[in-house]
């Protein structure tokens, strides 16, 4: 039984593009037991998890964060090499989004509430930051926690004159050691909210204070965390987060302890939207009428993701997209991209 009379924290592990898992989980909690989020003493995170924590701490609606994840994934997929293309900077894209979305008093809202994990470059020690003197300083801390060497570039960002890198490298689950901390991770293991794995688990490892079972499902999850998935895959991850959070609430006997807020999607909206989306996404494996009815009624954020996925799939069916699916054509396109890299890199350096 959850102890409401004690202080509790929420901690998000770093997981790259799979952070949309948290949006599904949070939409479930905010819909059914919102006090579990609003009453948390500290909201913690490392790497991409700190962006989710920051959004909660400063009051950014999760649907806005959801749209940002979609836009970054779509932008990265436009390039042949994805996030590794020299003209695409994941860290710059995240920074521009933070400058646009964070309110002017974000540092005041976050101070004392948000806890960000950093890894000091000089000695690899972990540093937890919970106080921010300005909005720019808050953005610097978030950028430091998200900087994964090579993947995000070669020059690490700094905070108060000290170089830092990805907080997940030293502590991927801040404040996990405190008894009343609710931990979330999109990898099956011992976190409070995480996927359950039906396959055989060889053994379990602990990386950055996150429990990760060694199985084929987690190998796939870890490897694809660094690559932008297709939008329908993001919708599936988001939905899994919702269902895992719902299971957590049931196991902790938290359902029914709070009054439910008005539904984000009314029954009439669901009746209207279900046939429409099923018609648009008839060929999508995720889109069955029963699945979508549950999807829309319980998870508004995931509906946004699914609609985007279905729209992209529906609009993208052309002779060129079909032709590009053939292996010889793919190989030619990749070869042309590699030949163009020196030219694009030279242009990028000249522009800077």
């Amino acid at each position: 039984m959850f102890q409401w009379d004690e202080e509790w924290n929420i901690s998000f592990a770093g997981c790259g593009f799979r952070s949309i898992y948290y949006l599904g989980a949070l939409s479930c909690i905010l819909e059914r037991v919102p006090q579990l989020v609003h009453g948390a003493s500290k909201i913690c995170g490392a790497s991409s998890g700190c962006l989710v924590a920051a959004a909660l701490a400063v009051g950014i609606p999760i649907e806005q964060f959801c749209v940002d994840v979609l836009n970054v994934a779509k932008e990265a997929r436009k390039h042949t090499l994805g996030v590794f293309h020299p003209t695409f900077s994941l860290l710059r894209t995240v920074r521009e989004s933070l400058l646009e979305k964070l309110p002017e008093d974000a540092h005041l809202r976050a101070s004392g509430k948000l806890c960000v994990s950093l890894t000091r470059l000089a000695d690899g020690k972990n540093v937890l930051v919970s106080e921010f003197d300005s909005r720019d300083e808050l953005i610097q801390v978030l950028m430091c926690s998200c900087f994964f060497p090579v993947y995000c570039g070669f020059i690490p960002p700094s905070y108060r004159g000290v170089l830092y890198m990805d907080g997940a490298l030293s502590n991927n689950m801040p404040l996990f050691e405190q008894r009343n901390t609710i931990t979330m991770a999109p990898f099956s293991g011992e976190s409070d909210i995480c996927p359950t794995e039906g396959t055989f688990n060889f053994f379990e490892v602990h990386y950055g204070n996150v429990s990760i079972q060694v199985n084929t499902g987690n190998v796939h999850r870890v490897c694809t965390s660094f690559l932008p998935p297709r939008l329908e895959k993001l919708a599936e991850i988001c939905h899994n987060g919702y269902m895992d959070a719902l299971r957590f609430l049931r196991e902790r006997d938290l359902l029914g302890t709070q009054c439910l807020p008005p539904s984000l999607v009314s029954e009439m909206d669901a009746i209207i939207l279900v046939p429409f989306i099923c018609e648009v996404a008839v060929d999508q494996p995720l889109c069955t009428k029963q699945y979508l009815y549950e999807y829309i009624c319980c998870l508004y954020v995931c509906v946004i993701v699914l609609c985007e996925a279905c729209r992209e799939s529906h609009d993208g069916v052309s002779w060129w997209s079909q032709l590009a699916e053939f292996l010889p054509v793919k190989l030619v396109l990749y070869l042309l991209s590699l030949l163009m890299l020196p030219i694009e890199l030279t242009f990028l350096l000249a522009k800077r």
Side-chain angles (χ1 to χ4, degrees), residues 201-331:
N201 299 311
F202 297 102
F203 55 90
E204 186 175 292
V205 298
H206 289 262
Y207 174 76
N209 298 327
V210 177
S211 166
I212 302 178
Q213 296 172 347
V214 179
N215 52 53
T216 54
N218 270 344
V219 170
H220 173 74
R221 294 184 187 102
V222 172
C223 293
T224 55
S225 295
F226 297 95
L227 305 174
R230 296 183 62 86
L231 295 185
E232 53 264 35
K233 183 61 179 179
L234 289 173
E236 179 185 355
I237 297 171
C238 186
H239 178 261
N240 291 340
Y242 182 95
M243 300 309 296
D244 292 336
L246 185 60
R247 185 182 67 253
F248 166 79
L249 295 177
R250 286 171 178 165
E251 291 175 351
R252 297 295 182 93
D253 197 23
L254 291 173
L255 293 178
T257 59
Q258 302 277 329
C259 295
L260 296 182
S263 177
L264 292 173
V265 179
S266 66
E267 293 182 3
M268 184 59 66
D269 293 333
I271 294 173
I272 294 173
L273 287 173
V274 169
F276 170 74
I277 298 180
C278 285
E279 180 181 357
V280 173
V282 65
D283 295 328
Q284 295 294 327
L286 294 177
C287 301
T288 63
K289 291 185 178 181
Q290 180 179 0
Y291 177 81
L292 274 174
Y293 184 78
E294 176 191 21
Y295 209 53
I296 295 175
C297 289
C298 69
L299 189 52
Y300 177 65
V301 174
C302 285
V303 171
I304 296 176
V305 182
L306 189 57
C307 288
E308 288 287 341
C310 295
R311 187 180 301 113
E312 182 185 73
S313 177
H314 181 73
D315 296 340
V317 178
S318 63
W319 67 271
W320 172 249
S321 61
Q322 294 177 359
L323 181 63
E325 290 299 319
F326 289 101
L327 182 59
V329 178
K330 283 185 177 181
L331 293 177

Side-chain angles (χ1 to χ4, degrees), residues 67 90 115 129 144 193 198 216 238-239 258 299 337:
V67 173
L90 182 60
C115 180
V129 181
C144 288
I193 299 177
T216 54
C238 186
H239 178 261
Q258 302 277 329
L299 189 52
S337 177

